[in-house]
Amino acid sequence: MPKAQTNPEPAPEPAAPTTADQLIALIRDRYHSRSAFAAAIGIPSQTLYSILQGDKIQSCSLASAMAITKALDLDPYAFAEGRLVPASPTATPVPVYDQYTPNADNQPHSQFPIPTNLAEAHPGAFMLRITDNSANQILKPGFLALVAPAADPDAEEPADAHAPNLQAVSINNAPAIIRRVINHDHGFTLAPASDDPTYKPMLVDFNDPEAPTVTRIGPVIWYCSPIGSTYLAD
C-alpha cells in the first residue's frame, strides 16, 4: 500500500529589510564601507554605528541627520520619520542657529532645507531653534522658526494685538528672542505668545530715555517641527 505523501512546510518568507538595512546598503553602494562614509561626512564611526544599530535613525542629532541626508541625497523630512526618500530638488538649505545675536559672528549649528521659493523670496533667511516656552502658543520647544532679516527692521507693522506678527528681536544686543510686536503711537509692546504666565509683556516707550534698545531682526515667516525632540538634540 503506497505511503501517504505529506506536503513540506512552506519556507518562511524573509523579513523585510529595515530602514537601517536599507541605509547600510545605500552606504555600501556609494562609499563601500560605513567607516569610509563616516570619515567622508565628518562624524565619528561609533556615532554612525549607533545610529544604524536597531533603527535609531529618528533619535540621531540634527547635525548627523543633515550630514547623512546631504551625502546620500535623501529627504531630511522623511529621514526624520525613519523613511529613506530621495531629496527633492525644490528644497534649499539654510543655516540653523542655536542662538543669534545682531552684529556678532554667529556660527550656525547646522543646515536645514526649506522650500526653495521661500529661500529665493527671502535671501539671508535662517532658522532659529526654539528652546523655551515664550511663544508656545505657536512655536513649541524644538521647533525651527524661519527668520527673514528685514531690509528695514524698524518699519511699522500693523498694530493688531490678535495677529501672530512674531518677530525675532534682540534686547540690548542680547541673543534673539521671539516675541509678538504690537506697535503704538509712541512705542511698541513685546508680547509673549505663551501659555506660561511667567513670560511678561515689555512696553518700549520712545519717550523714555531709559528704555532698552530693541533691534528688530526680522519676522518669523515659516516654521517646522522635525519629528521627535531627540532629532534636534546634540
Side-chain angles (χ1 to χ4, degrees):
M1 186 173 182
K3 295 182 179 179
Q5 294 185 346
T6 57
N7 294 325
E9 292 289 331
E13 293 185 5
T18 66
T19 302
D21 293 335
Q22 298 174 49
L23 187 58
I24 291 170
L26 185 58
I27 289 170
R28 286 177 174 166
D29 181 59
R30 300 268 188 96
Y31 291 85
H32 307 298
S33 72
R34 283 177 279 183
S35 58
F37 178 66
I41 64 176
I43 67 174
S45 296
Q46 189 57 47
T47 298
L48 179 63
Y49 295 156
S50 296
I51 293 170
L52 297 175
Q53 184 178 7
D55 265 346
K56 295 181 180 178
I57 289 173
Q58 289 174 270
S59 64
C60 76
S61 72
L62 176 60
S64 296
M66 291 308 301
I68 292 169
T69 54
K70 181 179 180 181
L72 297 176
D73 300 318
L74 297 173
D75 183 336
Y77 296 104
F79 192 81
E81 299 173 350
R83 299 182 294 114
L84 303 187
V85 176
S88 168
T90 59
T92 299
V94 297
V96 177
Y97 294 99
D98 288 334
Q99 65 177 28
Y100 184 92
T101 304
N103 305 313
D105 183 20
N106 298 286
Q107 297 299 318
H109 174 276
S110 57
Q111 291 188 318
F112 198 83
I114 65 171
T116 295
N117 62 325
L118 279 176
E120 292 176 346
H122 302 278
F126 62 88
M127 287 288 205
L128 185 63
R129 188 200 303 259
I130 304 302
T131 58
D132 63 21
N133 286 302
S134 63
N136 67 6
Q137 292 174 352
I138 302 169
L139 303 174
K140 311 292 185 185
F143 281 25
L144 297 176
L146 183 64
V147 177
D152 182 3
D154 295 320
E156 290 294 311
E157 298 287 344
D160 183 351
H162 300 289
N165 195 21
L166 295 178
Q167 295 193 31
V169 300
S170 171
I171 301 173
N172 293 329
N173 210 40
I177 57 175
I178 303 296
R179 291 292 185 272
R180 191 170 62 213
V181 179
I182 305 170
N183 291 303
H184 312 300
D185 290 340
H186 301 288
F188 55 89
T189 297
L190 300 179
S194 177
D195 296 324
D196 186 339
T198 61
Y199 293 97
K200 306 294 185 183
M202 173 186 289
L203 175 64
V204 179
D205 186 345
F206 294 151
N207 297 319
D208 182 358
E210 297 183 358
T213 300
V214 176
T215 302
R216 301 193 192 189
I217 299 168
V220 174
I221 59 170
W222 189 79
Y223 65 87
C224 66
S225 171
I227 293 177
S229 60
T230 53
Y231 183 63
L232 292 173
D234 288 327

